[in-house]
Amino acid sequence: MSAATEKVHQIEDYQQKEDDMGQDFAAGVGETAQKDMGKVAIIISFMAVVLLVVFFYGLNQNLTNLTSEVKDLQGVRGEVAALNSQMDVVDGRLVELEKLPTKTRHIIMDGIIEEMNQKAAYVGAQLGEEEQAKLAQVQELLKDVQSGLQK
């Protein structure tokens, strides 16, 4: 029986060993978790820095593109101003062209009145003094009308 007594152990010994092992295991897990959490924090910090760098360069590129577009728009504004001044010139010419039929009509009338003056002078040379005086009045009236057309 001595061999049997050696194999028999008290339950309290096992319970005490299990408690000691559980505490050692829990302490080991706690230390491992703290080390792992430190590694996770470092990785997350590194990833945050990488993301910040990527966002910075992306925004910097966008700002560079935006600056170049603003410069292009300033050039376009100058071109638009030049086009507006050219449109003003064209509008002025259109107004002159609209007046052209009136001017043309005045030129034609001026020619007709001049022709009438010449005919009256010819007829006046063929008539007597009384009729010449009347034709001279007609010529004066024609000259007044002619000067009114030239204005």
Side-chain angles (χ1 to χ4, degrees):
M1 271 225 215
S2 67
T5 55
E6 289 180 17
K7 290 185 179 179
V8 176
H9 297 285
Q10 300 250 341
I11 282 186
E12 293 151 0
D13 291 337
Y14 285 116
Q15 286 177 345
Q16 206 172 33
K17 282 183 183 177
E18 284 179 12
D19 287 340
D20 289 341
M21 284 176 61
Q23 288 175 356
D24 289 340
F25 179 73
V29 168
E31 286 180 24
T32 305
Q34 286 178 352
K35 288 180 185 177
D36 289 341
M37 290 303 287
K39 290 178 184 177
V40 169
I42 290 173
I43 291 171
I44 289 174
S45 299
F46 179 72
M47 290 174 69
V49 169
V50 169
L51 284 175
L52 283 174
V53 169
V54 168
F55 286 140
F56 171 75
Y57 283 116
L59 287 175
N60 191 19
Q61 186 67 27
N62 287 342
L63 286 176
T64 303
N65 291 340
L66 186 62
T67 302
S68 66
E69 287 182 21
V70 167
K71 287 180 183 178
D72 291 343
L73 283 177
Q74 289 174 348
V76 170
R77 281 186 182 169
E79 291 174 6
V80 168
L83 286 176
N84 281 338
S85 66
Q86 289 177 355
M87 284 302 298
D88 290 340
V89 170
V90 169
D91 286 342
R93 288 181 180 174
L94 282 176
V95 168
E96 290 297 320
L97 286 175
E98 289 172 352
K99 292 179 183 177
L100 189 61
T102 305
K103 288 182 179 180
T104 307
R105 193 174 60 215
H106 286 161
I107 291 171
I108 292 171
M109 284 189 216
D110 187 47
I112 293 171
I113 291 172
E114 186 63 36
E115 183 182 341
M116 290 171 69
N117 252 339
Q118 290 174 357
K119 287 182 181 180
Y122 175 75
V123 171
Q126 302 296 325
L127 297 175
E129 286 185 31
E130 188 177 317
E131 285 82 20
Q132 283 181 357
K134 289 180 184 178
L135 282 176
Q137 288 177 351
V138 169
Q139 284 178 327
E140 287 297 320
L141 289 173
L142 286 173
K143 286 180 182 178
D144 288 341
V145 172
Q146 191 175 22
S147 65
L149 289 176
Q150 292 176 357
K151 289 182 182 177

